[in-house]
């Protein structure tokens, strides 16, 4: 066909088609197709092939063909193939039988695996030898699969199919292990290509001056890039030139096997990089410390950022490599990158979450595991034995960096700070530890699947801490202090009225439950810290989704609104027609599950503090205990206007304002809204009691509360705990999503205007 298409002659100075040559080559092709290869026609077929070769040699003498190098090349290839056909025709059946017996690989079924390293070495030295592997695979299939089932077929055993399938699976596994050398070798070459392209080649401007051509030419670098690209093309062209083959009960597609091998090597490389780079260890000291470098916390921050930046470069190299490779094997490289990253992160998050679950998911039972592209499992590092993999170590590192015992959180800036004083001026300065810039670095290093994985692990941690607190409350607080909390609640009733003995009542109540407040403080700060991290990650996901995927984000939000509008319409119809079935169907549940995943990926899954992690029975006395906890810790805080945060007044106080507020809002969200209203009512009652006690002391112990005008007259004499409590209540409403109008039911509005 190529000879027919390229048979041209020069006529009148122009290249025109020679119909005579085209017809002659067409008849020659029909003659070759009519050849018979049976034993009875062996001699005749050999003579016909020799005549065809002689005819091709004669036609090569034509002037039109002698001047066309491409046609002469095709003629030479045809003659070589015809000579090979002559040799094949003369092979007798008994010779083929002997060759089949001599080359049988049935004896090598067990020892062939020992030769895999030698095969890999041979392929690395000469990539074109990959095409010879097809013969090896076929010989293994013919000998290794037929011999074990020969006797079973003779006796018509019903287990033939199962045995054949077993050996077929073993053979496919062997083929994959042999072809693994290709993506491993290719990835090494691709990383060199990326290094040359990113580190050595200068970007070409739109216009280049003549004097600068030599500078931008970079001939040595471009020759190195061309040589490496040629090596890659040899590997892939050799594999793709292999035809599909039936190995037992499986049909082996080289293109599919190559894609699986690329996925397997990508998973191995990315998993190993994350395992080795995301190792941080522990902070050497709990304090920020002094010195020029800011102490061990800042050293830990620098170490974390350096590891993340190294991982970012590594991941960018892998992404560019898989993108560079896609044109050679006809795959969607970026799609494979996204799918495998999601699978790697999902698998490691699933395994890390096992420590929070009663029912464990084994690696072999994971929904992310695959037999063709298995996910590797690494042992825990000696420095961090409590974390099973890199997702746990990264989560722990973020929690250590933002430890509320040593840091200050600013909700306005979404940033954690470390406070220390300058040695010369003794001036307090704020050192940034964790900010939206860190979230952006996390996005570039572990990607969107990594952010979602961290978000999920933090959710598991919050659920675990809340569950521990509920168990502690039922096992310790209720038996020991249940009656005391009930007495305190009776003394505070009604909430709109101040206690009869004033502040002495609160002091006596705190003395009774002081030992119970330490576990409450630990729970609230751990939950609040994790919630603030979740809020930061969700904000980062939302911002990137709105910026990088505007159309997709808008489509998800529109579908979400439409879906719930339909559900609301169905529920309203159910209210008017109670006899009809209006429950959600299985299809609705599946749609809702998929929609939830998309919303989480877009950071639009709702406010973090509105999440209900556990359903639990009511805890009697909890609002009273939270009231006493608040008024016990609030006097130890002061309001920092620059950070818009309640900050510890002394360094030995191991708590921070915003984590405490967020933790309390999250804890109360697990119960009926009346719990939150009770806490606000009790705090409003406490504020009024403090103001009343202050006015009484200011007036020398005489007089009664005289209304709003009297409160304004002595506003400058309000104790600090009044302002701190009001700010705490305001921040609580901001985090919990409570409107300020609801807060004015318990505290007059003008007090917030005067004190906040």
């Amino acid at each position: 066909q190529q000879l027919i298409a390229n048979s041209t002659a020069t006529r009148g100075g122009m290249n025109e088609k020679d119909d005579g040559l085209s017809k002659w080559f067409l008849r020659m092709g029909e003659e070759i197709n009519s050849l018979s290869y049976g034993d009875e026609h062996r001699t005749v077929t050999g003579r016909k092939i020799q005549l065809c070769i002689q005819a091709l040699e004669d036609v090569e003498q034509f002037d039109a063909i002698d001047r066309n190098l491409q046609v002469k090349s095709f003629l030479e290839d045809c003659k070589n193939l015809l000579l090979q056909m002559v040799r094949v025709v003369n092979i007798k059946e008994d010779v083929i039988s002997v060759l089949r017996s001599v080359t049988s690989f049935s004896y090598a079924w067990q020892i062939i695996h020992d030769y895999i390293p030698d095969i890999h070495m041979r392929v690395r030295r000469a990539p074109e030898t990959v095409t010879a592997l097809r013969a090896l695979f076929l010989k293994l299939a013919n000998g290794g699969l037929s011999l074990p089932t020969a006797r079973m077929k003779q006796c018509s055993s019903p287990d033939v199919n199962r045995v054949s399938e077993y050996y077929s699976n073993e053979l496919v596994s062997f083929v994959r292990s042999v072809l693994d050398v290709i993506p491993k070798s290719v990835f090494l070459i691709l990383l060199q290509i990326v290094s040359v392209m990113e580190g050595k080649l200068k970007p070409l401007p739109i216009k280049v001056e003549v004097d600068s051509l030599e500078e931008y030419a970079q001939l040595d670098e471009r020759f190195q890039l061309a040589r490496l690209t040629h090596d890659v093309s040899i590997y892939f062209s050799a594999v793709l030139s292999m035809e599909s083959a039936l190995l037992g009960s499986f049909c082996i597609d080289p293109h599919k096997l190559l894609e699986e091998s690329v996925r397997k090597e990508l998973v191995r490389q990315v998993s190993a990089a994350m395992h080795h780079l995301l190792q941080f260890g522990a902070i050497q000291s709990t304090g920020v410390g002094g010195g020029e470098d800011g102490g061990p916390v800042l050293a830990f921050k620098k170490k974390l950022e350096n590891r993340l930046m190294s991982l970012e470069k590594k991941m960018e190299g892998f992404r560019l490599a898989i993108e560079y490779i896609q044109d050679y094997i006809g795959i969607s490289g970026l799609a494979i990158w996204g799918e495998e990253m999601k699978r790697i992160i999902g698998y490691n998050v699933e395994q890390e979450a096992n420590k929070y679950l009663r029912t464990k998911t084994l690696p072999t039972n994971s929904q992310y595991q695959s037999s063709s592209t298995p996910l590797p499992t690494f042992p825990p590092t000696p420095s961090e034995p409590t974390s099973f993999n890199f997702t746990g170590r990264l989560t722990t590192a973020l929690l250590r960096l933002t430890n509320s015992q040593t840091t200050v959180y600013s909700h306005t800036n979404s940033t954690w700070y470390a406070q220390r004083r300058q040695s010369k001026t003794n001036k307090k300065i704020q050192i940034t530890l964790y900010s939206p810039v860190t979230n952006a670095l996390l996005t570039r290093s572990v990607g969107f699947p990594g952010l979602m994985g961290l978000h999920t692990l933090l959710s598991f941690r919050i659920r675990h801490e809340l569950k521990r607190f509920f168990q502690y409350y039922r096992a310790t607080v209720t038996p020991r202090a249940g009656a005391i909390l009930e007495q305190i609640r009776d003394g505070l009733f009604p909430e709109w009225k101040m206690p009869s003995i004033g502040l002495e009542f609160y002091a006596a109540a705190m003395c009774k439950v002081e030992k119970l407040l330490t576990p409450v403080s630990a729970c609230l700060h751990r939950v609040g810290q994790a919630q603030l991290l979740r809020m930061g990650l969700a904000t980062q996901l939302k911002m990137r989704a709105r910026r990088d995927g505007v159309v997709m984000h808008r489509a998800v939000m529109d579908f979400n609104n439409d879906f719930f509008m339909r559900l609301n319409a169905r529920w309203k119809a159910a209210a008017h027609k109670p006899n009809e079935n209006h429950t959600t169907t299985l299809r609705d549940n599946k749609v809702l599950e998929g929609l939830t995943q998309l919303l989480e990926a877009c950071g639009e899954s709702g406010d973090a503090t509105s999440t209900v992690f556990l359903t639990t029975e009511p805890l009697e006395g909890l609002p009273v205990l939270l009231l006493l906890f608040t008024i016990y810790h609030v006097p130890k805080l002061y309001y920092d206007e620059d950070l818009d945060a309640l900050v510890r007044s002394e360094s030995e106080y191991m708590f921070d304002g915003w984590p405490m507020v967020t933790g309390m809002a999250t804890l109360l969200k697990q119960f009926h809204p009346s719990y939150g209203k009770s806490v606000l009512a009790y705090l409003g009652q406490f504020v009024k009691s403090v103001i009343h006690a202050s006015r009484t002391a200011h007036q020398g112990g005489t007089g009664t509360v005289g209304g709003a005008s009297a409160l304004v007259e002595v506003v400058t004499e309000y104790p600090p705990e009044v302002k701190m409590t009001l700010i705490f209540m305001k921040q609580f409403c901001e985090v919990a999503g409570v409107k300020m109008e609801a807060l004015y039911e318990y505290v007059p509005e003008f007090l917030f205007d005067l004190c906040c």
Side-chain angles (χ1 to χ4, degrees):
Q1 296 297 328
Q2 291 174 335
L3 285 170
I4 294 171
N6 289 275
S7 57
T8 59
T10 303
R11 296 180 182 177
M14 300 182 64
N15 290 332
E16 297 180 4
K17 193 84 170 179
D18 192 331
D19 295 333
L21 283 175
S22 299
K23 293 178 181 179
W24 188 87
F25 283 127
L26 182 60
R27 289 196 302 270
M28 179 63 68
E30 294 174 352
E31 185 70 23
I32 293 175
N33 289 331
S34 65
L35 294 176
S36 177
Y37 303 101
D39 292 340
E40 64 276 7
H41 302 102
R42 183 180 295 114
T43 304
V44 177
T45 301
R47 291 175 181 175
K48 287 184 178 180
I49 294 175
Q50 291 177 358
L51 291 174
C52 291
I53 295 174
Q54 183 64 39
L56 292 176
E57 291 176 351
D58 294 340
V59 79
E60 193 175 357
Q61 305 303 320
F62 284 16
D63 182 66
I65 293 179
D66 188 55
R67 291 197 304 267
N68 194 323
L69 295 178
Q70 188 174 9
V71 174
K72 291 181 66 176
S73 176
F74 288 152
L75 285 172
E76 189 66 28
D77 293 339
C78 287
K79 289 188 293 183
N80 292 334
L81 291 174
L82 288 171
L83 287 173
Q84 185 67 21
M85 291 171 62
V86 171
R87 299 187 185 99
V88 172
V89 165
N90 291 324
I91 298 176
K92 297 181 180 180
E93 184 63 31
D94 56 347
V95 176
I96 296 176
S97 178
V98 172
L99 286 174
R100 187 182 298 113
S101 300
V102 171
T103 59
S104 175
F105 258 38
S106 57
Y107 68 91
W109 188 257
Q110 296 295 331
I111 65 173
I112 191 63
H113 294 276
D114 298 336
Y115 290 90
I116 292 179
D118 297 329
I119 298 174
H120 287 178
M121 188 179 301
R122 177 77 176 272
V123 171
R124 290 192 188 98
R125 288 201 303 261
E128 61 274 6
T129 57
V130 172
T131 54
L133 292 176
R134 184 174 183 271
L136 171 65
F137 300 151
L138 290 176
K139 293 304 297 182
L140 278 174
N142 294 333
L145 297 181
S146 61
L147 187 64
T149 58
R151 299 301 181 189
M152 300 180 69
K153 291 179 179 178
Q154 291 175 2
C155 65
S156 301
S157 174
D159 297 327
V160 172
N161 292 333
R162 286 188 294 176
V163 174
S164 178
E165 184 177 356
Y166 167 77
Y167 281 101
S168 299
N169 285 324
E170 291 294 319
L171 182 57
V172 171
S173 177
F174 171 75
V175 172
R176 285 172 177 159
S177 61
V178 170
L179 293 182
D180 275 349
V181 65
I182 297 175
K184 289 180 181 179
S185 303
V186 166
F187 262 88
L188 293 177
I189 299 174
L190 287 175
L191 292 179
Q192 298 179 43
I193 291 175
V194 172
S195 176
V196 173
M197 295 177 63
E198 296 293 322
K200 297 182 180 180
L201 287 182
K202 297 180 180 179
L204 288 173
I206 299 176
K207 296 181 179 179
V208 181
E209 298 181 0
V210 177
D211 299 337
S212 303
L213 282 177
E214 184 177 355
E215 178 183 354
Y216 285 101
Q218 297 181 278
L219 299 180
D220 295 337
E221 288 78 5
R222 296 189 185 278
F223 173 77
Q224 182 184 4
L225 181 64
R227 180 176 57 81
L228 294 172
T229 305
H230 178 260
D231 293 341
V232 172
S233 64
I234 290 177
Y235 276 107
F236 288 135
S237 61
V239 175
L240 295 177
S241 64
M242 298 170 59
E243 299 177 358
S244 300
L246 184 64
L247 301 183
S249 57
F250 295 97
C251 182
I252 299 299
D253 183 4
H255 187 276
K256 184 178 180 181
L257 272 182
L258 186 59
E259 181 179 338
E260 290 179 354
S261 300
V262 170
R263 287 178 180 268
K264 182 179 179 180
E265 183 62 19
L266 178 65
V267 166
R268 191 186 68 82
Q269 295 269 6
V270 172
S271 299
M274 288 186 172
H275 171 71
H276 293 298
L277 290 177
L278 296 181
Q279 297 183 18
F280 311 101
I283 301 178
Q284 300 300 323
S285 176
T286 56
V288 176
E292 297 298 330
D293 59 350
V297 172
L298 292 187
F300 184 81
K301 173 202 173 186
K302 186 176 180 180
K303 180 180 181 180
L304 173 66
E305 291 179 346
N306 290 338
R307 293 296 179 93
L308 290 177
M309 286 188 288
S310 300
L311 182 63
E312 175 192 355
K313 294 180 181 178
K314 200 82 171 177
M315 294 297 105
E316 182 66 14
F318 289 142
R319 190 188 64 80
L320 291 175
I322 196 67
E323 186 178 3
Y324 191 86
I325 207 178
Q326 63 184 358
D327 296 330
Y328 290 97
I329 53 180
I331 60 174
S332 180
L334 293 181
I336 290 178
W337 171 259
E339 292 170 4
E340 297 306 322
M341 277 293 294
K342 182 179 179 181
R343 203 162 66 91
I344 292 170
I345 298 296
Y347 171 75
N348 285 277
V349 169
E350 181 187 62
Q351 296 303 306
E352 186 67 28
N354 278 336
K355 62 184 179 182
Y356 299 119
L357 301 175
R358 181 177 299 177
T359 303
K360 314 295 182 183
T361 302
L362 298 177
T364 54
N365 298 334
S366 173
Q367 61 175 325
Y368 302 99
Q369 195 60 270
S370 172
S371 58
S372 59
T373 55
L375 291 162
T377 302
F378 299 94
T381 58
S383 59
E384 297 170 284
T386 57
S387 298
F388 295 117
N389 52 58
F390 65 86
T391 57
R393 293 194 295 271
L394 182 56
T395 304
T396 303
L398 298 182
L399 292 172
R400 286 172 177 169
L401 186 63
T402 60
N403 186 2
S404 58
Q405 296 182 357
T406 58
T407 61
V408 176
Y409 180 75
S410 171
H411 193 62
T412 304
N413 303 330
S414 300
T415 303
W416 274 268
Y417 296 95
Q419 291 184 332
R420 71 182 184 94
R421 296 184 181 275
Q422 291 181 338
S423 56
K424 296 181 180 180
T425 61
N426 199 32
K427 181 180 178 181
K428 184 177 291 188
I429 59 175
Q430 311 291 347
I431 304 173
T432 302
L433 293 180
Y434 186 96
S435 66
V437 177
T438 312
N439 287 331
L441 180 59
L442 283 171
T443 306
R444 297 193 301 270
S445 57
V446 297
F448 295 106
L451 293 185
M452 294 175 61
L454 293 174
H455 192 276
T456 302
L457 281 180
L458 290 171
S459 301
F460 275 108
R461 178 180 173 86
I462 294 171
R463 182 183 181 279
H464 177 68
E465 292 295 337
L466 291 174
K467 185 177 180 180
R468 287 180 57 192
F469 176 76
F470 295 158
Q471 293 173 349
Y472 161 77
Y473 197 96
R474 292 190 178 92
T476 304
V477 176
T478 301
R480 296 183 182 180
I484 297 175
L485 293 176
E486 187 175 354
Q487 293 176 2
I488 298 173
R489 183 182 59 188
D490 294 339
L492 295 174
F493 184 80
E495 292 83 356
W496 53 267
K497 183 180 179 182
M498 289 178 291
S500 57
I501 58 176
L503 296 181
E504 297 179 1
F505 178 83
Y506 294 101
M510 283 189 291
C511 291
K512 295 178 181 179
V513 300
E514 184 175 1
K515 295 181 179 180
L516 303 175
L517 300 181
T518 301
V520 177
S521 175
C523 172
L524 294 185
H525 281 89
R526 290 172 182 170
V527 171
Q529 179 191 8
Q531 279 285 48
L532 292 173
L533 285 173
R534 285 182 73 233
M535 292 164 62
L537 295 174
T539 302
Q540 178 69 14
L541 287 170
K542 184 188 302 184
M543 180 184 67
R544 292 298 298 270
R546 291 182 176 180
R547 189 186 71 181
D548 300 337
V550 180
V551 177
M552 183 64 180
H553 179 268
R554 189 67 264 165
V556 171
M557 298 306 298
D558 290 343
F559 181 78
N560 178 59
N561 296 333
D562 180 72
F563 181 76
F564 281 99
M565 285 177 60
R566 292 174 182 271
L567 284 183
N568 289 332
R570 187 185 303 173
W571 292 334
K572 290 180 180 178
H576 298 289
K577 300 178 180 179
N579 296 328
E580 297 184 8
N581 185 13
H582 296 277
T583 59
T584 57
T585 62
L586 180 62
R587 179 176 175 273
D588 292 335
N589 294 334
K590 290 183 178 180
V591 170
L592 188 59
E593 181 180 356
L595 180 59
T596 302
Q597 295 177 359
L598 290 174
L599 290 172
E600 290 177 353
C602 296
E604 298 284 0
S605 56
D607 188 8
T609 54
S610 64
T611 305
V612 178
F613 295 94
L614 286 172
T615 55
T616 181
E617 298 294 330
L619 299 180
E620 296 296 332
L622 180 61
V624 176
L625 184 63
L626 293 179
L627 163 71
L628 298 177
F629 169 82
T630 303
I631 63 179
Y632 179 80
H633 287 289
V634 160
K636 302 176 182 179
L637 304 173
Y638 75 94
Y639 180 67
D640 190 317
E641 295 183 356
D642 296 332
L643 301 179
D644 187 24
L646 294 174
V647 182
R648 63 182 68 86
S649 57
E650 300 292 340
S651 59
E652 59 267 16
Y653 296 154
M654 298 298 181
F655 51 84
D656 188 30
W658 277 109
M660 184 170 66
V661 171
T662 308
M664 186 176 295
T666 304
L667 176 63
L668 292 173
K669 190 63 181 180
Q670 314 308 309
F671 300 94
H672 192 271
S674 60
Y675 275 56
K677 294 179 180 180
S678 298
V679 172
L680 292 176
Y682 288 144
L683 289 174
Q685 186 182 30
F686 170 73
V687 168
K688 296 174 185 177
S689 300
V690 174
I691 294 176
H692 175 66
S694 175
R695 287 195 63 253
T696 303
H698 179 76
Q699 296 176 358
T702 60
T704 59
V705 180
S709 58
L711 290 176
V712 175
E713 291 177 2
V714 294
V715 69
T716 56
E717 300 181 10
Y718 290 163
E721 52 263 37
V722 172
K723 180 179 180 180
M724 299 304 106
T725 304
L726 292 176
I727 293 175
F728 181 90
M729 296 174 68
K730 184 177 179 180
Q731 292 180 350
F732 176 87
C733 292
E734 180 180 349
V735 172
V738 179
K739 296 182 179 180
M740 289 297 296
E741 289 77 7
L743 190 58
Y744 298 152
E745 298 178 6
Y746 314 111
V747 178
E749 182 178 358
F750 71 88
L751 277 180
F752 287 97
D753 297 335
L754 293 174
C755 298
C756 300

